[in-house]
Amino acid sequence: QGDVFTYDPGFTSTASCTSTITYIDGDKGELLYRGYPIEQLAEKSHYLEVCYLLLYGELPTAAQLEDFEHRVTNHTMVHEQMHNFFRGFRRDAHPMATMVGVVGAMSAFYHDSTDISDPWQREVAAIRMIAKLPTIAAMAYKYSVGQPFVYPKNSLDYAGNFLHMCFSVPAEEYIVNPILSKAMDRIFTLHADHEQNASTSTVRLAGSSGANPFACIAAGIACLWGPAHGGANQACLEMLREIGTVDRIPEYIARAKDKDDPFRLMGFGHRVYKNFDPRAKVMKESADEVLELLGIEDNETLKVAKELERIALEDEYFVSKKLYPNVDFYSGIILDAMGFPTAMFTPIFALSRTVGWISQWKEMMFDPELKIGRPRQLYTGAPARGYIEVEDR
Ligand code: SDX
């Protein structure tokens, strides 16, 4: 009677929602944001234009883009009281822990954008999060390295401002290199949205209960942190460093194939892509460009990454399992070359994905048929039975 449920450990066999935002064809290795291929957006567009596209569904006119960039730029500062909030964390807290805490508390600072029944407040919440997440991520970094917070500068573009807030110090302003800023902006674009991945589904489920948007994004950040998801970029670079040299790659390939070994090649495989992750291709080209600019193109880690990719793509196990590099395989090499510690890799993924999370949340909140999410289960536990007194057990 009623619904018949089949157990699917990855929730991939049933659609959880309809959406008009992002399309993935895992067999073709195709990724579209509102119908535009990710390769074209990475080459021709920039992150704030992509944010407009994801939020409103169309590429902006020049006037629309100017207004949007002005609104975001003028919301990049955080409430001064939030500075004190950071000081409750230990200095060695992972920046993701700080971001979950601070973003989750944003509703305590921005009361006028928490009423989800008011479309204007939903809009302001979206702009505030896109604008403030880089500032919060940079503050989490500065706090972890014992340096003073750096305020945003309206004269810088979105990616340049983030680099400035991370790497400037009172004694010396960080000079934003346009090529590094473009590479940073491209990383933001490549991570902006990705259909119903684990963290986006978390944001949707939290939003379906009517929770305020800041709490929903904090839930998404928490889910992204896992090494099977957004935490893979940090785990991947640490794996490449542990391998160290190309002659040690076969040992790790063998471990990844050993069913009794929990080790997996980080940055490899994907629940949906059974072909190349198109983002990984763009990221690999960007890695070559950035490392050449910095004069470290013979970087040992990049050599290990490329050789590992070459070997894995020829290995019968990986071919049979359709395992290819994903978005996290090369991104860490670029971020490491820019000077970020591995602990900042996932916070950068989180700030990039905020526009995807908030766009999907907005889409869901406008649905007049919206009901609270309620995943079902297949019960395999004990049948109904009577209570047993302790002396009879
Ligand atoms: C992201 O969903 C999204 O869209 C996520 C994301 C986004 O933008 O939001 O794309 C971002 O999370 C990318 C993935 C980052 N994670 C990693 O790089 C961690 C390493 N990868 C794996 O943990 C794994 O590939 C997952 C978690 C990504 C996917 O796991 P699945 O769903 O179990 O993969 P699968 O079903 O396609 O696996 C097929 C087989 C399995 O073996 P069998 O159970 O069939 O025997 O391949 C094996 C897996 O065990 N396998 C791997 C492997 N990935 C899968 N074996 C060795 N190394 C790997 N990396």
Side-chain angles (χ1 to χ4, degrees), residues 207-227:
S208 72
S209 77
N212 76 71
F214 303 106
C216 296
I217 298 302
I221 296 173
C223 176
L224 185 77
W225 195 359

Side-chain angles (χ1 to χ4, degrees), residues 5-11 13 377-378:
F5 296 100
T6 55
Y7 175 54
D8 168 10
F11 305 100
S13 65
Q377 66 169 19
L378 272 183

Side-chain angles (χ1 to χ4, degrees), residues 10 12 24 31 33 190-200 224 226-233 235-236 239 252-253 255-259 261-274 277 279 317-318 320-329 349 353 357:
T12 43
I24 298 172
L31 169 57
Y33 288 169
L190 293 172
H191 287 86
D193 193 47
H194 210 240
E195 202 220 68
Q196 303 312 315
N197 56 84
S199 53
T200 299
L224 185 77
H229 191 12
N233 53 18
C236 180
M239 173 192 75
Y252 285 82
I253 294 277
R255 284 188 57 197
K257 292 156 63 172
D258 178 355
K259 277 288 168 212
D261 188 331
F263 171 77
R264 282 191 167 183
L265 281 187
M266 302 317 281
F268 253 81
H270 199 276
R271 176 59 58 81
V272 175
Y273 288 123
K274 299 310 171 190
D277 179 334
R279 302 168 296 176
Y317 173 87
F318 289 91
S320 68
K321 302 278 184 186
K322 298 184 177 179
L323 300 176
Y324 293 87
N326 59 49
V327 68
D328 295 311
F329 191 63
F349 191 153
R353 182 56 57 87
W357 289 329

